[in-house]
């Protein structure tokens, strides 16, 4: 089951360009960031539309994810959310859009949205004290890589994990954690 980690808790949705300008202090830096993400995304055949993308409190989206009991539908919903928000220009902070996206993936029986808050808080407690960038990669339960990082950072983390395993003769395992949870 995916783990929840809310982004921008309490923040009203804003255009991503505005958020990046506030974060970097420079439209040039914001544009460079978006271009780098656009290029990386295109390598995976993804088309990020920053002109229509919004950023804000993801609580409602997490509530829908948690309210879907079928793990396959839940995973499909998470993928649908990302596609809708990054490439289709949909407002994934709007309840009617969230409901429509759930129906798109066949999740028509969504109950208990209000009861998901405790589950979301529990998921967030798991990562409390860790670096909280998104995505969060956990390697062998000991090494963490947080946020968007260069390949060199991943290489260093993986080498450190292998060196630890060589010393401890443990089995190699890794988890990749993102907004949709952790997978092994």
């Amino acid at each position: 089951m995916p783990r929840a980690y809310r982004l921008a808790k309490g923040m009203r949705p804003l255009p991503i360009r505005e958020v990046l300008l506030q974060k970097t202090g420079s439209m040039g830096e914001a544009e460079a960031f978006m271009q780098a993400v656009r290029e990386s995304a295109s390598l995976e055949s993804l088309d990020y539309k920053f002109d229509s993308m919004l950023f804000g409190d993801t609580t409602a989206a997490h509530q829908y994810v948690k309210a879907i009991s079928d793990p396959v539908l839940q995973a499909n919903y998470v993928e649908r959310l990302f596609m809708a928000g990054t490439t289709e220009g949909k407002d994934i902070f709007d309840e009617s859009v969230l409901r429509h996206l759930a129906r798109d993936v066949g999740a028509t029986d969504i109950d208990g949205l209000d009861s998901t808050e405790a589950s979301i808080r529990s998921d967030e407690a798991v990562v409390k004290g860790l670096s909280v960038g998104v995505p969060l990669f956990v390697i062998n339960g000991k090494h963490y890589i947080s946020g968007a990082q260069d390949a060199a950072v991943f290489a260093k983390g993986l080498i450190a994990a292998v060196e630890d395993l060589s010393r401890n003769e443990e089995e190699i395992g890794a988890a990749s954690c993102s907004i949709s949870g952790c997978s092994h």
Side-chain angles (χ1 to χ4, degrees):
M1 176 162 301
R3 296 235 184 237
Y5 185 81
R6 289 176 280 198
L7 299 178
K9 191 174 174 184
M11 179 182 164
R12 69 179 173 81
L14 294 171
I16 191 72
R17 287 180 178 280
E18 184 177 324
V19 173
L20 290 172
L21 175 59
Q22 289 173 6
K23 181 177 177 149
T24 64
S26 154
M27 187 47 81
E29 284 185 46
E31 289 292 340
F33 174 83
M34 289 183 284
Q35 184 58 34
V37 170
R38 208 178 278 115
E39 288 171 7
S40 293
S42 72
L43 296 173
E44 299 297 325
S45 300
L46 299 172
D47 183 17
Y48 279 24
K49 307 265 194 229
F50 289 102
D51 290 333
S52 57
M53 199 180 298
L54 298 172
F55 182 82
D57 186 338
T58 58
T59 298
H62 283 292
Q63 288 176 311
Y64 272 82
V65 172
K66 291 288 186 184
I68 298 171
S69 59
D70 181 292
V72 172
L73 289 178
Q74 196 177 55
N76 290 343
Y77 184 69
V78 168
E79 287 297 317
R80 186 70 187 99
L81 275 172
F82 280 118
M83 185 65 70
T86 59
T87 67
E88 296 172 5
K90 294 191 186 294
D91 181 354
I92 61 168
F93 304 96
D94 179 291
E95 289 281 334
S96 64
V97 171
L98 293 171
R99 266 191 313 280
H100 179 76
L101 295 173
R103 283 193 301 270
D104 279 359
V105 299
T108 56
D109 189 23
I110 296 178
D111 293 319
L113 282 174
D114 294 334
S115 66
T116 60
E117 182 69 26
S119 178
I120 291 170
R121 280 196 311 271
S122 174
D123 285 353
E124 290 173 335
V126 170
V127 296
K128 187 177 183 182
L130 298 176
S131 184
V132 291
V134 176
L136 174 64
F137 297 90
V138 181
I139 306 167
N140 293 342
K142 185 175 175 182
H143 298 272
Y144 305 95
I145 301 171
S146 178
Q149 299 289 336
D150 290 327
V153 173
F154 284 94
K156 184 178 176 182
L158 291 169
I159 289 168
V162 169
E163 288 171 352
D164 280 352
L165 290 175
S166 296
R167 284 191 295 272
N168 298 324
E169 298 180 1
E170 294 176 3
E171 190 175 312
I172 294 177
S176 169
C177 302
S178 70
I179 191 171
S180 60
C182 297
S183 61
H184 295 274

